[in-house]
């Protein structure tokens, strides 16, 4: 794959992240493509709607790809995700044998991809970082503002 392909597929992952945002989920999206460049699966975070801490975009995309391919091995596949994978998702990536991961924004709090995946699979970070970061920052800013509003509204007796 080249950089133009990476941007194209990351744009698809960003569209998934926007779906998460519209569903009031942390806006992370993921797309899995075959070795030939065909989109196999696309997904976003569904932690809140599924009431499950494991339903990250990567997990949802991996599950969908495995079902579609009738195979748990995703050897020839690439994963595009808008946020650096966490330790749980890195484990799923390794176990599913995905060969390549491309991510957008770095996650200084929860991202561990370079320490877990580095050297084992092809790993490319920072693709469309600005667009990915912007979605995440706006989501969390909105959550903080709503929390402050609710706190001040409750303090004066209104709801």
């Amino acid at each position: 794959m080249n950089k133009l392909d990476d941007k194209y597929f990351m744009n698809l992952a960003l569209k998934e992240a926007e779906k998460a945002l519209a569903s009031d989920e942390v806006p992370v999206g993921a797309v899995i493509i075959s070795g030939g460049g065909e989109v196999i699966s696309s997904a976003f975070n569904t932690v809140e709607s599924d009431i499950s801490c494991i339903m990250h975009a990567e997990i949802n995309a991996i599950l969908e790809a495995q079902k579609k391919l009738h195979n748990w091995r995703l050897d020839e596949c690439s994963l595009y995700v808008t946020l650096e994978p966490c330790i749980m998702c890195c484990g799923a990536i390794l176990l599913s044998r995905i060969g390549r991961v491309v991510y957008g924004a770095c996650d200084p709090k929860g991202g561990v991809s370079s320490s877990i995946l580095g050297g084992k699979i092809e790993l490319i970070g920072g693709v469309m970082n600005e667009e990915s970061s912007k979605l995440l920052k706006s989501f969390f800013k909105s959550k903080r503002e709503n929390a402050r509003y609710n706190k001040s509204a409750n303090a004066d007796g209104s709801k």
Side-chain angles (χ1 to χ4, degrees):
M1 295 286 154
N2 63 43
K3 288 184 180 189
L4 288 176
D5 291 332
D6 287 346
K7 284 189 173 185
Y8 173 80
F9 292 116
M10 188 60 74
N11 262 317
L12 297 179
L14 280 164
K15 287 181 179 165
E16 291 298 313
E18 289 169 0
K19 291 178 187 176
L21 184 65
S23 300
D24 202 29
E25 298 275 356
V26 175
V28 178
V31 173
I32 294 179
I33 64 162
S34 68
E38 174 194 354
V39 175
I40 297 170
S41 66
S42 55
F44 56 87
N45 275 359
T46 58
V47 170
E48 299 298 334
S49 60
D50 286 336
I51 313 169
S52 174
C53 62
I54 65 171
M55 301 316 294
H56 290 189
E58 300 95 312
I59 301 296
N60 288 330
I62 289 169
L63 290 171
E64 183 182 326
Q66 290 171 335
K67 284 180 185 171
K68 184 172 182 183
L69 296 175
H70 304 286
N71 194 341
W72 62 267
R73 294 175 191 90
L74 303 175
D75 309 76
E76 302 295 319
C77 296
S78 296
L79 168 69
Y80 290 82
V81 61
T82 58
L83 181 65
E84 179 182 9
C86 70
I87 192 167
M88 174 187 69
C89 292
C90 286
I93 290 164
L94 287 172
L95 291 172
S96 66
R97 301 183 181 169
I98 289 173
R100 183 171 188 264
V101 173
V102 179
Y103 66 88
C106 291
D107 183 355
K109 290 183 180 178
V112 293
S113 60
S114 62
S115 61
I116 293 178
L117 302 177
K120 295 175 182 72
I121 67 169
E122 185 179 355
L123 183 64
I124 299 168
V127 175
M128 301 188 75
N129 172 55
E130 189 174 314
E131 294 86 343
S132 297
S133 295
K134 184 179 176 183
L135 268 178
L136 289 159
K137 286 177 182 174
S138 68
F139 174 80
F140 288 111
K141 180 181 179 186
S142 171
K143 289 291 181 191
R144 285 189 302 273
E145 287 171 356
N146 284 341
R148 276 194 293 270
Y149 171 77
N150 290 335
K151 189 176 181 180
S152 68
N154 289 336
D156 68 7
S158 59
K159 293 188 179 190

